[in-house]
Every structure is written in C-alpha cells, then in structure tokens.
Amino acid sequence: MQTTIMGRVVAYDERGSGIPLVLIHGFPLNRMIWEAQWEGLADTARVIAPDLRGFGESEMVAGATDIATYADDIRELLDALGVRQPAVIVGHSMGGYVALAYLRRYPEHVAGLVLANTKATPDSIEGKAGRDKNIALARDKGAGAIAEAMLPKLLAPNTAASKPGLVEQVNRIMQSASVPGIIAALGAMRDRPDSTGTLLEFSEPVLILAGAEDPLMPMAEQENMKEAARNSTLIVIPDSAHLSPMEQPDAFNRAVREFLAPLKNQY
Ligand code: MLT
C-alpha cells in the first residue's frame, strides 16, 4: 500500500485489527523483513509495517535526516491512518533506534516497546568512523557494496547454510535500497543520541529480543537495556544472529504474541 504524506510517497503494509503494532525495519532493509510477522500476528493486532524513507518503496527527500526524522515520519503515517491510541512499537536494529526516538518524542503514543536485535547506546568513536567509511563506500560503489559487507553479519551460520533462499532474499532486499536512503540512514545512526535515559523514564512494558549469535548487538547491550527499562523482559532467541524476525519467525512471533496478551486486555 502507498500513501502520500506532505508530498512524499510512503509505502506500508497493514493487516488485522485491534491494538496497533508498528513494525520498524533495520538498515539497509525494508518492510519485507516483517512478512512472517504481519502474516503471523495479524490475527492478534493491527499490524502496520512501513518502509522508512529511502528504503523499499518509500520515497527519499532531500535535506537533513536525523533519527528523529524517521520517528516523525512514523507519527505522520499513524496520523494519516487514524491511529490516535497508544501503539506497541517494534524496532529491529536501526528500527530500534527509531522506536526509541519515537518514545522520546511521542511517549503518550507508546503502549509498549519491542526492541529486537538493537541497543540503546550511541555509536562509539570507532563506530562513527565506520559510518563515514560506509557513506563513502555507498557513494562510490552503491548499495551492492553495502549489502556485500552486511550479509555475512546478518544470519547465523546454521541459517545461512540451511536456508539459501533466505540468504538470497535478504541480499535482494539490501541491494534494492537507494543510495541517498543509505547515506542518510548512516548519518542518522552515527549522530543518534544515547537512549538509555529514555528507557529509564519508561514504565510501560518492554520486550527485548536478542539473537543468541548476533555479532552486531552484544549481550551486554541487551542487559543494559533490561536494566534501564524497569518493566522489561529479555528473551534470547536461539539459532539466530542479527535477523531474528526472519531467521526464527515462530519463536519471534510467539514472544511478541505473549507480550501483547496483557496489553490487548487493557486495550
Ligand atoms: C541495522 O541492522 O539496522 C544496523 O546494523 C544497525 C547499526 O548498524 O547500528
């Protein structure tokens, strides 16, 4: 589905009814990473999965983009869809950074958070330098070079060996990202603030989903979020690396379904 918000095309999928469940993808991915979630969870929630600007079928716009820009885009889409009640926001990796920015800006619109394969802390000095290198790489060599660098880090060795179709699908998703979208997202991630304080102030439920073999999001970061968010649960998903919603969709969906159950009752 597509809509136009302030002159910009925004693509999203929407299924089901009930409590709004907003799925925000990571970098350099798009809403297709959530296929198993919108199919598996649409019987329990109103699932809304947008493409962030510059990814998938959502248009990029020129101008400054920071992590809050994506959060504002999500709010504008939810407004356009008539979602005024608090939603459960699910963020995968960079989508988690956006979810935390959304919480910072729109706390009254958040009923709960699912933080998957992500972290609350900002980039280190080395991490920032890596973003600048990747910006140059994307500019010089395009999305394919970024996809090539990312692919080996996304899937657990078992997944990569046993599901060649999934490897191909993930690669295709990353290759399709626009270069301006990639460059803007790398800059936004590089400059994002520390969100630990945002979690400290949040008393609604938080589910932290970690990939047991995620090379990008160390377990210490997961423990850090668990400690900061006073009403949180941490679940480690076995046999998954950085893309747990795609690698282990059943375990992922089961955890989200259980998380939603008490929230739905209040809804
Ligand atoms: C992502 O998957 O969104 C990125 O790997 C996150 C990051 O680079 O910090």
Side-chain angles (χ1 to χ4, degrees), residues 80-92:
L81 297 178
V83 178
R84 312 251 181 271
Q85 63 277 61
V88 173
I89 310 291
V90 183
H92 170 260

Side-chain angles (χ1 to χ4, degrees), residues 26-27 92-95 97 131 150 189 192 216-217 242:
F27 170 90
H92 170 260
S93 200
M94 175 182 143
Y97 311 157
R131 303 292 188 198
M150 289 289 293
M189 288 194 285
R192 73 186 191 281
L216 296 175
M217 299 294 167
H242 190 58

Side-chain angles (χ1 to χ4, degrees), residues 127-205:
K128 287 179 195 290
R131 303 292 188 198
D132 291 334
K133 267 196 195 150
N134 280 337
I135 288 173
L137 182 67
R139 199 169 277 140
D140 295 345
K141 304 249 166 75
I146 297 292
E148 202 181 310
M150 289 289 293
L151 193 59
K153 302 178 203 156
L154 298 185
L155 303 169
N158 260 350
T159 321
S162 62
K163 297 182 183 163
L166 180 56
V167 179
E168 187 38 45
Q169 188 190 357
V170 172
N171 196 23
R172 233 180 303 120
I173 289 175
M174 290 194 290
Q175 303 264 1
S176 75
S178 73
V179 169
I182 289 175
I183 291 174
L186 285 166
M189 288 194 285
R190 178 196 58 207
D191 299 336
R192 73 186 191 281
D194 192 341
S195 290
T196 309
T198 308
L199 276 180
L200 276 169
E201 284 170 16
F202 190 51
S203 57
E204 299 306 326

